[in-house]
Amino acid sequence: MRRFLFLFLLVSPIFAFFISLFIGAYHMPMADIINMAFLKSLQLISGVLAKITLGKLYFDVQIPYPSVYQTVLFKIRLPRVLLAMIVGSALAVSGAVLQAIFRNPLVNSYILGISSGAAFGAALAIGLSLGLGVTPLAFAFALLAVFLTTSLAKIGGRITPVSLILAGVIVNAFFSALTSLLKFLMEHEKLASVVYWLMGSFANADWHSLKVAFPIIFAGCIIISLMRWQLNVLSFGEEAKLVGVETEKLKFAFILIVSLITAASVAFCGIIGWVGLMIPHMVRMAFGPDHKKLIPLSITLGASFMVLADTLARSIATYEIPIGILTTLLGIPFFAYLLRKTGGGWHA
Amino acid sequence: MLKVKGLSFSYGDFSVENVCFEVKEGEILTLLGPNGSGKTTILKNVYGLLKPKKKCVFIDGRDFHSLSLKERAKLAGYVPQSHYPPFPYTVLDVVVMGLASQLSVFESPKDEHYEKALEKLRLLGMERFKDRPYTQLSGGQLQLILIARALVQEPKVLLLDEPTAHLDFKNQVKILGIIKKLAREERITAILTLHDPNLASIYSDKIALVKEGRIRAVGESSEILREEILEEVYGVPIHILEFNGFRVIMPKTEVV
């Protein structure tokens, strides 16, 4: 039974992907979507073949559907679904990694200051009407915040769990104050878009955002997966040195990867809470704390959860609900139930 | 086999000065002394978890601290005073972590590695605990698991920090008996810290008496465990009785 659930969760993103592709504000029959997806794949394959064989077209594929169908499916819905999936993976796996290396089950990537740094960057770009500058500035300030937090936390060459959390609080407070100041000085229309961005949303997803976010997050998840067993050892703290693990170097590598993938997520979709905390806990409660299982399952369950939550966010009402609000509202009751039922699963 | 030559270390007001001793292969040396005398500090310095002022630890003539953590872990196992990790790993998962020094950072343990870990659990009679959460073990069981984790490293040297702390009499005897057996049968060289002079007398080949960060005396148990030396180290009046060739150390009390 547990084995079945394990395999099911591992492949769940595939199901989640199709479910969310079929659902949306613009209604299209399921058969048409499958047909279009099939034809589009053929078209892409023929395109690739043509490139390889220098322009010789083996078969020409036409997609006999209205162009609005194609635009909705391929330009709006597909990139959005894919972005939600990789962002879900990134946030969930980041939470799992940080909880292990800081030996603290309540940590997620936002305590490093990433969210408030990114929020400030985005607010700055919106405030200065930089248009396309929102993503790069959010990204830059997210990384700056992580750098500030870790260097502030480093005392005598070492980062302790407590110093890191305190440094995170300081950096978060600093950037939050700056963001508030910006909001205070801003005009009303701009203020609205800052507030909306802060609530988190995939509404602006397009192929461009995927092109930037996907390689970073994909590579990050692969490296973390390969190194996942080290997290078991690292969660023993200083004891890890006794079995021959260079704890400081390894922690640094993990923090760097986690910062990059979180910043890549936050920059495109704003701040989406609870996923990094909730998903790893859910997996741990069902399958135990071994990172050999925890990391792959966090990646896949994170993807499935986020894309389904986003599908809800864009389809339960006539207007879109910010997904950050939805993940929190969905997550909290479930989390509370599991907490009461299992007693937490991270202590004796 | 293992030689410590002039180990000095200081941290704040506390310092360890000029510690010297030597252990042969398959021997057990006990660092014995009152609370706060610096036994654990010396042990951590020997492994290099704390940095002594100069190079001073040699195993088979090689400077031990010039080795990487990985190489050190292959040569010497360190059994720390147990504390719980934040997550309830199973016993087998904990023991297999001893193999970290033999795996690259991109590797996870495979069946053969779990088999090695099981073998050590079997050796210590703990195989049936393999799927138990580590956080639900008793003090004695925990100590055995940590020893198993160190043994998985296939070390020549075993350093044990207070292996009998918080254990009842039966478990104290059991753990020390196992260490003795490992020294005799597997030719493992062991350095441990203990509180109880009687246990030290029964189980060690050599004793180093530690007082205020200095070695007060070091040598064969029979030479070291003398009333005047122990009285000076512990600061209480002491009687020594002979029984079956063992020395029994008793406090002098007026009440009895």
Side-chain angles (χ1 to χ4, degrees):
Chain A
M1 183 58 207
R2 187 155 288 202
R3 182 94 204 134
F4 174 77
L5 186 63
F6 178 79
L7 290 174
F8 173 74
L9 288 179
L10 220 48
V11 297
S12 64
I14 301 172
F15 300 115
F17 172 80
F18 283 109
I19 292 171
S20 21
L21 213 52
F22 293 146
I23 299 170
Y26 186 85
H27 180 78
M28 291 181 280
M30 208 193 270
D32 291 357
I33 290 177
I34 295 174
N35 226 340
M36 277 198 290
F38 178 70
L39 290 172
K40 186 79 179 175
S41 323
L42 276 184
Q43 209 177 38
L44 286 176
I45 292 169
S46 110
V48 170
L49 276 179
K51 244 183 208 158
I52 295 170
T53 54
L54 304 168
K56 192 175 164 219
L57 264 186
Y58 285 91
F59 44 91
D60 191 20
V61 187
Q62 297 297 330
I63 302 179
Y65 286 97
S67 69
V68 59
Y69 269 35
Q70 296 191 41
T71 306
V72 167
L73 188 62
F74 299 121
K75 293 226 168 97
I76 298 172
R77 214 177 276 173
L78 186 60
R80 179 170 184 160
V81 164
L82 291 175
L83 188 71
M85 290 176 82
I86 56 164
V87 166
S89 296
L91 294 179
V93 82
S94 300
V97 168
L98 292 173
Q99 285 155 23
I101 64 178
F102 294 116
R103 306 156 47 76
N104 185 339
L106 297 176
V107 164
N108 65 26
S109 44
Y110 295 148
I111 67 131
L112 293 175
I114 291 177
S115 59
S116 47
F120 174 71
L124 195 65
I126 295 168
L128 298 175
S129 306
L130 288 179
L132 283 173
V134 176
T135 305
L137 271 190
F139 199 75
F141 277 96
L143 290 181
L144 176 70
V146 175
F147 172 75
L148 284 177
T149 306
T150 44
S151 39
L152 199 58
K154 203 169 217 170
I155 296 161
R158 282 183 55 224
I159 296 177
T160 67
V162 176
S163 71
L164 185 93
I165 286 170
L166 290 178
V169 168
I170 294 168
V171 171
N172 272 321
F174 174 65
F175 281 114
S176 303
L178 288 183
T179 308
S180 297
L181 183 68
L182 274 179
K183 286 203 261 181
F184 177 71
L185 297 171
M186 231 173 247
E187 301 129 52
H188 276 292
E189 320 82 82
K190 286 180 178 172
L191 183 62
S193 49
V194 168
V195 169
Y196 192 68
W197 188 89
L198 287 178
M199 284 184 217
S201 167
F202 289 105
N204 298 319
D206 54 15
W207 287 106
H208 164 73
S209 41
L210 260 179
K211 255 183 217 159
V212 179
F214 184 80
I216 298 174
I217 293 172
F218 185 75
C221 287
I222 295 283
I223 297 171
I224 289 171
S225 298
L226 287 173
M227 289 169 46
R228 68 191 187 277
W229 185 68
Q230 302 291 326
L231 292 168
N232 276 8
V233 187
L234 280 180
S235 68
F236 274 74
E238 283 290 283
E239 269 184 64
K241 286 185 182 164
L242 302 175
V243 293
V245 170
E246 299 278 354
T247 51
E248 300 307 315
K249 282 184 207 163
L250 210 53
K251 272 196 226 167
F252 178 77
F254 274 118
I255 292 178
L256 190 72
I257 298 169
V258 162
S259 311
L260 274 171
I261 64 177
T262 310
S265 312
V266 171
F268 292 106
C269 58
I271 291 152
I272 299 170
W274 280 88
V275 178
L277 207 55
M278 194 173 63
I279 301 291
H281 276 292
M282 279 163 50
V283 177
R284 238 181 249 121
M285 284 163 184
F287 295 98
D290 185 4
H291 289 82
K292 273 177 85 173
K293 286 185 194 148
L294 178 61
I295 293 298
L297 286 180
S298 293
I299 291 175
T300 58
L301 190 60
S304 307
F305 176 82
M306 189 68 100
V307 76
L308 291 177
D310 184 49
T311 308
L312 268 184
R314 61 189 164 81
S315 60
I316 45 174
T318 45
Y319 45 87
E320 213 180 297
I321 300 170
I323 187 169
I325 298 174
L326 204 67
T327 53
T328 309
L329 287 180
L330 277 176
I332 284 178
F334 191 60
F335 196 46
Y337 165 75
L338 281 177
L339 180 67
R340 298 307 308 168
K341 201 183 157 212
T342 66
W346 58 80
H347 275 309
Chain B
M1 165 72 203
L2 186 143
K3 205 184 246 179
V4 176
K5 231 160 60 183
L7 184 158
S8 298
F9 169 83
S10 67
Y11 183 80
D13 308 342
F14 187 77
S15 70
V16 167
E17 300 277 350
N18 199 29
V19 168
C20 299
F21 57 77
E22 222 183 305
V23 210
K24 295 200 191 76
E25 190 187 82
E27 264 188 351
I28 298 176
L29 177 134
T30 299
L31 295 163
L32 181 69
N35 286 339
S37 57
K39 304 183 295 288
T40 298
T41 309
I42 293 173
L43 204 68
K44 283 187 173 166
N45 269 287
V46 170
Y47 196 84
L49 290 175
L50 295 171
K51 295 268 171 291
K53 284 175 186 159
K54 59 184 178 70
K55 65 176 182 181
C56 53
V57 178
F58 302 91
I59 294 184
D60 292 332
R62 276 166 85 192
D63 175 10
F64 185 57
H65 294 164
S66 70
L67 304 175
S68 69
L69 281 174
K70 226 172 189 175
E71 289 169 322
R72 265 187 261 171
K74 287 179 189 166
L75 209 54
Y78 189 107
V79 180
Q81 291 198 42
S82 54
H83 51 81
Y84 293 116
F87 306 111
Y89 296 109
T90 65
V91 163
L92 189 62
D93 279 335
V94 173
V95 176
V96 88
M97 286 181 204
L99 289 167
S101 58
Q102 292 167 34
L103 296 166
S104 93
V105 283
F106 297 116
E107 259 182 300
S108 293
K110 295 172 201 65
D111 288 350
E112 57 186 281
H113 300 113
Y114 288 105
E115 193 43 54
K116 269 189 196 171
L118 271 176
E119 196 183 291
K120 297 303 174 192
L121 282 174
R122 230 170 274 144
L123 181 76
L124 300 181
M126 294 295 286
E127 197 187 359
R128 69 205 149 92
F129 291 96
K130 69 182 171 67
D131 295 322
R132 285 268 195 96
Y134 175 76
T135 42
Q136 287 173 15
L137 299 179
S138 72
Q141 292 162 347
L142 213 60
Q143 198 65 45
L144 281 168
I145 297 311
L146 289 174
I147 292 175
R149 189 181 73 188
L151 287 179
V152 162
Q153 298 168 221
E154 304 282 356
K156 288 185 180 168
V157 180
L158 212 48
L159 306 179
L160 303 104
D161 191 6
E162 307 256 359
T164 59
H166 316 299
L167 298 190
D168 62 19
F169 188 64
K170 176 192 156 192
N171 277 308
Q172 292 186 352
V173 171
K174 187 177 173 190
I175 297 280
L176 290 171
I178 283 169
I179 296 169
K180 189 92 182 174
K181 199 173 147 205
L182 289 169
R184 290 292 168 273
E185 290 172 11
E186 318 273 329
R187 305 301 292 162
I188 287 177
T189 308
I191 302 176
L192 49 142
T193 63
L194 287 179
H195 277 300
D196 184 337
N198 282 310
L199 289 174
S201 144
I202 297 166
Y203 290 98
S204 7
D205 301 302
K206 274 184 190 159
I207 291 178
L209 278 171
V210 187
K211 190 192 177 192
E212 289 163 4
R214 281 152 191 79
I215 301 271
R216 176 60 190 77
V218 58
E220 307 273 329
S221 310
S222 50
E223 312 161 11
I224 298 300
L225 297 176
R226 298 217 311 267
E227 284 170 5
E228 65 274 16
I229 303 180
L230 286 173
E231 281 181 354
E232 191 214 311
V233 168
Y234 283 100
V236 289
I238 278 169
H239 262 318
I240 293 192
L241 312 172
E242 291 275 349
F243 174 77
N244 276 358
F246 284 109
R247 282 154 185 261
V248 182
I249 296 119
M250 298 248 308
K252 272 185 200 165
T253 79
E254 287 96 41
V255 186
V256 182

